[in-house]
Amino acid sequence: DTEVTQTPKHLVMGMTNKKSLKCEQHMGHRAMYWYKQKAKKPPELMFVYSYEKLSINESVPSRFSPECPNSSLLNLHLHALQPEDSALYLCASTPDRGNEQFFGPGTRLTVL
Amino acid sequence: GQQVMQIPQYQHVQEGEDFTTYCNSSTTLSNIQWYKQRPGGHPVFLIQLVKSGEVKKQKRLTFQFGEAKKNSSLHITATQTTDVGTYFCAGVPTDSWGKLQFGAGTQVVVTP
């Protein structure tokens, strides 16, 4: 299995909702990433997990809460989001930091 | 701020023509990676360059890494409609803990 899967594919939520994004990989990769991508912009790093521990938080607002339950799974919990948080949320994994990253198809999030 | 500059931002190409996109980093890179993102899709890894002056080819795509390991280029010959998409370079600075520094991307439109 050489792919990263993400669910849901699309998500529409109100500003008072709580939702979660899920990412899964079965390639044995030990580094996993959350990115946010706005239209016509490059991916913007949010969080990095290495060996299931949060290694990097790029000053992301606390309304985004990451979780790594095990080496194959990565979640992003969302609460009290703002309309400007609407974007494509990408998960990626890599066998080792600095090497090629395998991106999932993303979750397209709309906050109303 | 963004440390990897990429030009041009847009490239309109006639089918069959060649084009080049360039990346320049303000810092020395341990490696540079190239990704392609089709419209509506997610970034897909193309290549990684590690050595100073390295040149790699993938069919009609030629990738170069500068001698100082600060700049890179992607040259596509005989452009086809399947080349449509946005090409991102992503540098890994030597002190970045493996974080990718994405360029702004070159959006390629191919006219038949």
Side-chain angles (χ1 to χ4, degrees), chain A residues 33 35 37 40-43 45 48-50 55-56 58 88 90 97-106 108, chain B residues 2 9-10 30-31 33 35 37 40-45 48 88 92 96-100 102-105 107:
Chain A
Y33 305 75
Y35 289 90
Q37 187 179 30
K40 299 189 184 300
K41 296 290 184 183
L45 183 65
V48 181
Y49 273 84
S50 179
S55 300
I56 295 175
E58 292 285 276
L88 179 67
L90 294 160
R97 295 182 279 117
N99 285 350
E100 65 176 280
Q101 294 191 10
F102 293 76
F103 284 84
R108 194 159 296 279
Chain B
Q2 192 167 295
Q9 190 175 0
Y10 299 100
S30 63
N31 72 75
Q33 300 166 26
Y35 292 81
Q37 186 170 17
H42 59 279
V44 174
F45 174 80
Q48 177 175 280
F88 292 102
V92 181
S96 72
W97 206 89
K99 291 194 297 185
L100 296 182
F102 279 89
Q107 184 181 344

Side-chain angles (χ1 to χ4, degrees), chain B residues 5-107:
Chain B
M5 304 302 293
Q6 185 174 356
I7 57 169
Q9 190 175 0
Y10 299 100
Q11 182 77 57
H12 291 252
V13 190
Q14 194 94 19
E15 196 172 8
E17 290 183 340
D18 303 352
F19 76 89
T20 304
T21 171
Y22 301 89
C23 277
N24 193 57
S25 170
S26 56
T27 58
T28 303
L29 303 170
S30 63
N31 72 75
I32 192 159
Q33 300 166 26
W34 286 88
Y35 292 81
K36 177 182 177 180
Q37 186 170 17
R38 293 182 186 274
H42 59 279
V44 174
F45 174 80
L46 294 176
I47 204 104
Q48 177 175 280
L49 304 168
V50 179
K51 297 177 185 174
S52 169
E54 190 168 16
V55 178
K56 287 189 176 180
K57 292 191 175 186
Q58 287 181 350
K59 298 182 181 178
R60 296 178 294 102
L61 278 60
T62 301
F63 304 83
Q64 294 190 5
F65 200 12
E67 294 290 340
K69 299 185 72 173
K70 285 187 172 184
N71 59 291
S72 181
S73 64
L74 160 58
H75 181 76
I76 300 183
T77 58
T79 305
Q80 299 176 358
T81 54
T82 52
D83 295 323
V84 164
T86 300
Y87 294 82
F88 292 102
C89 63
V92 181
T94 51
D95 60 348
S96 72
W97 206 89
K99 291 194 297 185
L100 296 182
Q101 299 276 358
F102 279 89
T106 295
Q107 184 181 344

Side-chain angles (χ1 to χ4, degrees), chain A residues 10-27:
Chain A
H10 300 275
L11 179 63
V12 179
M13 60 187 289
M15 289 190 284
T16 58
N17 292 157
K18 283 186 181 181
K19 296 286 183 184
S20 296
L21 310 184
K22 181 179 170 182
C23 171
E24 197 164 0
Q25 58 89 12
H26 295 286
M27 294 178 279

